[in-house]
Short mmCIF file of all heavy atoms in Angstrom, two decimals:
data_model
loop_
_atom_site.label_atom_id
_atom_site.label_comp_id
_atom_site.label_asym_id
_atom_site.label_seq_id
_atom_site.Cartn_x
_atom_site.Cartn_y
_atom_site.Cartn_z
N THR A 272 28.48 1.98 -10.97
CA THR A 272 28.06 2.25 -9.59
C THR A 272 26.68 1.67 -9.38
O THR A 272 25.76 1.92 -10.17
CB THR A 272 28.04 3.77 -9.30
OG1 THR A 272 29.37 4.27 -9.42
CG2 THR A 272 27.53 4.04 -7.89
N PHE A 273 26.52 0.89 -8.32
CA PHE A 273 25.25 0.27 -7.98
C PHE A 273 24.72 0.91 -6.71
O PHE A 273 25.46 1.06 -5.73
CB PHE A 273 25.45 -1.24 -7.77
CG PHE A 273 25.96 -1.96 -8.99
CD1 PHE A 273 27.33 -2.00 -9.26
CD2 PHE A 273 25.09 -2.56 -9.87
CE1 PHE A 273 27.81 -2.65 -10.38
CE2 PHE A 273 25.56 -3.21 -11.00
CZ PHE A 273 26.92 -3.26 -11.26
N VAL A 274 23.46 1.31 -6.73
CA VAL A 274 22.87 2.03 -5.61
C VAL A 274 21.97 1.10 -4.81
O VAL A 274 20.98 0.57 -5.31
CB VAL A 274 22.05 3.24 -6.11
CG1 VAL A 274 21.46 4.00 -4.91
CG2 VAL A 274 22.93 4.17 -6.93
N LEU A 275 22.33 0.91 -3.56
CA LEU A 275 21.52 0.12 -2.63
C LEU A 275 20.72 1.09 -1.78
O LEU A 275 21.15 1.50 -0.69
CB LEU A 275 22.42 -0.76 -1.76
CG LEU A 275 23.40 -1.68 -2.50
CD1 LEU A 275 24.24 -2.48 -1.51
CD2 LEU A 275 22.66 -2.60 -3.46
N ALA A 276 19.57 1.50 -2.31
CA ALA A 276 18.74 2.50 -1.64
C ALA A 276 17.48 1.83 -1.08
O ALA A 276 17.39 0.61 -0.99
CB ALA A 276 18.39 3.62 -2.61
N GLY A 277 16.50 2.65 -0.75
CA GLY A 277 15.31 2.15 -0.09
C GLY A 277 14.44 1.24 -0.92
O GLY A 277 13.56 0.57 -0.38
N SER A 279 15.82 -1.11 -2.89
CA SER A 279 16.61 -2.29 -3.17
C SER A 279 16.41 -3.35 -2.10
O SER A 279 15.80 -3.10 -1.06
CB SER A 279 18.10 -1.93 -3.25
OG SER A 279 18.62 -1.69 -1.96
N PHE A 303 28.09 -9.41 -5.15
CA PHE A 303 29.26 -8.53 -5.11
C PHE A 303 30.42 -9.22 -4.40
O PHE A 303 31.58 -9.09 -4.82
CB PHE A 303 28.91 -7.22 -4.41
CG PHE A 303 27.88 -6.40 -5.12
CD1 PHE A 303 26.55 -6.41 -4.74
CD2 PHE A 303 28.25 -5.60 -6.19
CE1 PHE A 303 25.60 -5.65 -5.40
CE2 PHE A 303 27.32 -4.83 -6.86
CZ PHE A 303 25.98 -4.86 -6.47
N THR A 320 25.13 7.20 2.31
CA THR A 320 24.38 8.46 2.26
C THR A 320 23.19 8.37 3.21
O THR A 320 22.81 7.28 3.67
CB THR A 320 23.87 8.76 0.84
OG1 THR A 320 22.84 7.82 0.50
CG2 THR A 320 24.99 8.67 -0.18
N GLN A 366 23.47 13.18 -6.17
CA GLN A 366 22.18 12.59 -6.52
C GLN A 366 21.11 12.81 -5.44
O GLN A 366 20.02 12.25 -5.54
CB GLN A 366 22.35 11.08 -6.77
CG GLN A 366 23.30 10.73 -7.90
CD GLN A 366 24.77 10.76 -7.47
OE1 GLN A 366 25.08 10.83 -6.28
NE2 GLN A 366 25.67 10.72 -8.44
N LEU A 384 14.84 7.08 -0.86
CA LEU A 384 15.86 6.96 -1.90
C LEU A 384 17.21 7.55 -1.47
O LEU A 384 18.26 7.10 -1.95
CB LEU A 384 15.38 7.64 -3.18
CG LEU A 384 14.08 7.10 -3.77
CD1 LEU A 384 13.74 7.83 -5.06
CD2 LEU A 384 14.17 5.60 -4.02
N ARG A 386 18.53 7.31 1.43
CA ARG A 386 19.11 6.42 2.45
C ARG A 386 19.77 5.25 1.72
O ARG A 386 19.10 4.29 1.34
CB ARG A 386 17.96 5.96 3.34
CG ARG A 386 18.31 5.43 4.69
CD ARG A 386 17.02 5.16 5.47
NE ARG A 386 16.39 6.39 5.92
CZ ARG A 386 15.14 6.75 5.65
NH1 ARG A 386 14.36 5.97 4.93
NH2 ARG A 386 14.66 7.89 6.10
N SER A 387 21.10 5.32 1.48
CA SER A 387 21.70 4.34 0.59
C SER A 387 23.16 4.07 0.90
O SER A 387 23.80 4.79 1.67
CB SER A 387 21.59 4.84 -0.87
OG SER A 387 22.53 5.88 -1.11
N VAL A 388 23.66 3.00 0.26
CA VAL A 388 25.10 2.78 0.10
C VAL A 388 25.32 2.57 -1.39
O VAL A 388 24.62 1.77 -2.03
CB VAL A 388 25.60 1.57 0.90
CG1 VAL A 388 27.03 1.22 0.49
CG2 VAL A 388 25.55 1.87 2.40
N ARG A 389 26.29 3.31 -1.94
CA ARG A 389 26.58 3.26 -3.38
C ARG A 389 27.90 2.52 -3.58
O ARG A 389 28.92 2.89 -2.99
CB ARG A 389 26.63 4.68 -3.95
CG ARG A 389 25.27 5.35 -3.86
CD ARG A 389 25.28 6.86 -3.95
NE ARG A 389 23.93 7.33 -3.68
CZ ARG A 389 23.02 7.57 -4.62
NH1 ARG A 389 23.34 7.43 -5.90
NH2 ARG A 389 21.80 7.96 -4.31
N ILE A 390 27.84 1.48 -4.41
CA ILE A 390 29.00 0.61 -4.63
C ILE A 390 29.55 0.86 -6.02
O ILE A 390 28.85 0.64 -7.02
CB ILE A 390 28.61 -0.88 -4.48
CG1 ILE A 390 27.97 -1.14 -3.10
CG2 ILE A 390 29.83 -1.77 -4.70
CD1 ILE A 390 27.51 -2.58 -2.93
#
Side-chain angles (χ1 to χ4, degrees):
T272 297
F273 299 85
V274 181
L275 305 179
S279 74
F303 295 99
T320 70
Q366 299 82 12
L384 301 182
R386 200 174 286 124
S387 74
V388 169
R389 295 160 187 267
I390 304 177

